[in-house]
Amino acid sequence: MILTTLIKRQLRIFAVLTLVALFFAVVVYARVPALLGVGVYEVRAEYADASGLYPKAIVTYRGVQVGEVADLEVGDGGAVADLRIDDEHDIPATVVAELHSTSAIGEQYVDLVPAPGEDAGEDSASLGEGDVIPVERTVEMPQITPVLESVNDLLASVPRARTRRVLDQVDQGLAGSGPDLAGTIENADSLLRTAQDRLAVTTSLIRTAQPVLGTQQALRGTTLSYAQSLAAFTSELAGRDRDLRALLSQGPAGLRAATELVNDLQPTLPLLVTNLTTNAEVLNTYLPQIQEGLVYYPVTVARLQSAINPRAEFGDVNLDLRANVNNPPACSQGYLAASERRDPSVAQFRDVDLLAHCTVPEADPKSVRGARLLPCPQGGGRGPLPSSCGLDFGKGVWPEGAGPSGRRDLSRGVTVGGDASMELPAEQGWQALVLGPVSVR
């Protein structure tokens, strides 16, 4: 056979390809360098029970394969697994070696899990050649045999005759409802798939709900009190069921009658309630002064009775009167001058200055009890008018065509009249008194 130049070249190419294939088979597939300890390091994991684990089983970290089980041997009080891990993976030295199975009857593998409460950082130590994972940081594979034995015992404890009778009754009860049951199962399956798709969101929601649940647990006493009060309230409602039914049946007729009554009282009732709102606002502002007057009223009556009752049979009163003439002197500042006063014989009408009061300084002895010394209801200051104390009350209203043609607003010193007197401000209308309480200043 003559080897031509072309044949020699082809043989050289085949030889090179064969060498490359053998190299990949030895290095990549057979992992001969790893068997010789090149590019890997070995870690020993101690287990109290390593049943089901075998050599060549994979080793994972955070779900990624990082090595394999090199060998298994019997140790002191358990089994020792030699884990061969690739050098390219840095694994924390505090990991926990757990045994898991790929399925209920599948092969086992070693899963390296970070220790609870610890996070691998740049400065944390990593596993190295010869490190040992003690039995305290290893988790064995749960044995299926005790579970199967428990299930077998449970099935053996179920009476067959009664179970058959129950199944027959269930079959009779579900007769004809097969499509509905199938729809329920399909909907449940769809619900489970949706929940699985939203697993991350659901897990985040559960973690976020933990502080809320902790707060609710801290408020357990208050919640129980609310629940007990609600139970008492609902029990009372249940006892008044007949009255509630009567109210619901007769209420519409009563509401219609009340509506007709209110319509018949237009516009008298709105005007009355509006003016009552203004009066209530004033009374609410001066409530402390009214309370003080009510407190002093019995004392004043008692003083009068102490002066009258002892002398009642004699027809006189035990009083001590003293006359003061121009002491203190009367105040004229702030009123009309004497030259502007009219003669009593003049019969023409003239507006009266309702804001006239003594305007002398507070320390002046004139008009000691004058309006300028009236205390403000909220304390801290005195003034003759509510506006002097920063108060602003609403205005009364008059029906159209009734009342004075012009009236003076003492809080503002302006004259209001005509059709404007019929305007009902929304914040001081009669609806505000009916639908809401008077605000407390």
Side-chain angles (χ1 to χ4, degrees):
M1 181 178 180
I2 300 176
L3 298 177
T4 62
T5 304
L6 177 61
I7 294 175
K8 293 179 180 180
R9 290 178 180 177
Q10 291 176 346
L11 291 176
R12 292 191 186 98
I13 292 174
F14 288 147
V16 171
L17 292 177
T18 302
L19 292 176
V20 171
L22 289 175
F23 175 79
F24 277 101
V26 171
V27 175
V28 177
Y29 181 74
R31 295 177 60 88
V32 173
L35 295 176
L36 299 177
V38 179
V40 296
Y41 61 91
E42 290 191 0
V43 176
R44 297 173 64 86
E46 299 177 350
Y47 290 95
D49 185 2
S51 301
L53 189 63
Y54 58 93
K56 302 299 182 181
I58 64 174
V59 178
T60 64
Y61 176 66
R62 295 186 182 273
V64 178
Q65 182 176 352
V66 296
E68 64 180 15
V69 178
D71 191 14
L72 284 173
E73 60 184 17
V74 178
D76 296 336
V80 178
D82 293 333
L83 309 182
R84 186 174 294 158
I85 302 174
D86 299 335
D87 284 339
E88 61 184 8
H89 302 292
D90 293 331
I91 301 174
T94 58
V95 292
V96 178
E98 299 180 354
L99 292 182
H100 292 282
S101 177
T102 56
S103 64
I105 57 175
E107 60 184 12
Q108 295 185 12
Y109 65 95
V110 179
D111 186 18
L112 301 179
V113 181
E118 297 184 6
D119 190 9
E122 295 181 357
D123 299 333
S124 60
S126 301
L127 288 176
E129 178 70 27
D131 287 348
V132 177
I133 301 177
V135 69
E136 293 80 7
R137 289 193 287 115
T138 59
V139 179
E140 297 79 14
M141 180 70 184
Q143 299 299 317
I144 194 63
T145 303
V147 177
L148 295 178
E149 291 178 353
S150 300
V151 173
N152 188 30
D153 294 340
L154 176 62
L155 294 177
S157 64
V158 176
R160 296 184 178 180
R162 296 182 180 179
T163 304
R164 186 178 296 106
R165 189 182 307 113
V166 170
L167 294 177
D168 293 340
Q169 293 176 355
V170 170
D171 180 66
Q172 294 177 2
L174 296 178
S177 59
D180 297 336
L181 183 59
T184 302
I185 295 176
E186 291 177 357
N187 293 333
D189 181 66
S190 176
L191 178 62
L192 291 177
R193 287 198 301 270
T194 304
Q196 187 174 5
D197 295 339
R198 303 291 190 271
L199 182 60
V201 179
T202 305
T203 305
S204 176
L205 177 62
I206 293 174
R207 288 197 301 266
T208 307
Q210 183 176 0
V212 179
L213 296 178
T215 303
Q216 295 301 320
Q217 186 176 5
L219 297 176
R220 177 175 176 272
T222 305
T223 305
L224 289 177
S225 177
Y226 288 160
Q228 292 173 357
S229 301
L230 180 61
F233 176 71
T234 53
S235 299
E236 185 67 21
L237 287 180
R240 302 289 181 177
D241 180 71
R242 182 177 301 177
D243 298 335
L244 289 176
R245 291 178 181 274
L247 176 62
L248 294 176
S249 61
Q250 301 175 6
L255 289 177
R256 285 194 297 270
T259 303
E260 294 176 357
L261 176 62
V262 171
N263 293 333
D264 293 340
L265 293 177
Q266 294 282 0
T268 305
L269 180 60
L271 296 177
L272 173 63
V273 180
T274 301
N275 292 329
L276 288 178
T277 305
T278 302
N279 296 336
E281 185 180 4
V282 177
L283 293 177
N284 184 64
T285 303
Y286 288 92
L287 189 60
Q289 286 74 14
I290 297 174
Q291 183 178 3
E292 183 179 4
L294 295 177
V295 170
Y296 285 133
Y297 177 76
V299 179
T300 304
V301 173
R303 292 291 181 88
L304 291 176
Q305 290 179 349
S306 65
I308 297 175
N309 292 342
R311 304 292 300 180
E313 60 180 336
F314 302 104
D316 54 10
V317 179
N318 186 14
L319 292 177
D320 187 8
L321 300 179
R322 298 180 182 181
N324 291 327
V325 180
N326 202 28
N327 182 23
C331 176
S332 60
Q333 182 177 341
Y335 300 98
L336 286 177
S339 59
E340 298 180 4
R341 297 176 184 174
R342 298 189 302 167
D343 188 271
S345 60
V346 178
Q348 296 178 353
F349 175 78
R350 187 176 70 175
D351 290 338
V352 179
D353 187 4
L354 300 178
L355 300 178
H357 64 280
C358 182
T359 59
V360 297
E362 182 176 344
D364 195 288
K366 296 180 180 179
S367 186
V368 176
R369 297 179 180 86
R372 76 183 193 281
L373 299 179
L374 291 176
C376 293
Q378 66 271 32
R382 297 174 180 271
L385 298 173
S387 58
S388 304
C389 299
L391 300 176
D392 186 13
F393 299 116
K395 300 173 292 187
V397 295
W398 296 85
E400 186 177 0
S405 58
R407 66 188 185 284
R408 196 172 298 276
D409 185 357
L410 299 182
S411 63
R412 300 174 180 81
V414 297
T415 301
V416 183
D419 295 338
S421 62
M422 286 300 297
E423 296 179 358
L424 302 180
E427 66 276 7
Q428 297 185 17
W430 66 279
Q431 296 91 342
L433 183 61
V434 175
L435 300 178
V438 178
S439 60
V440 179
R441 289 181 179 268

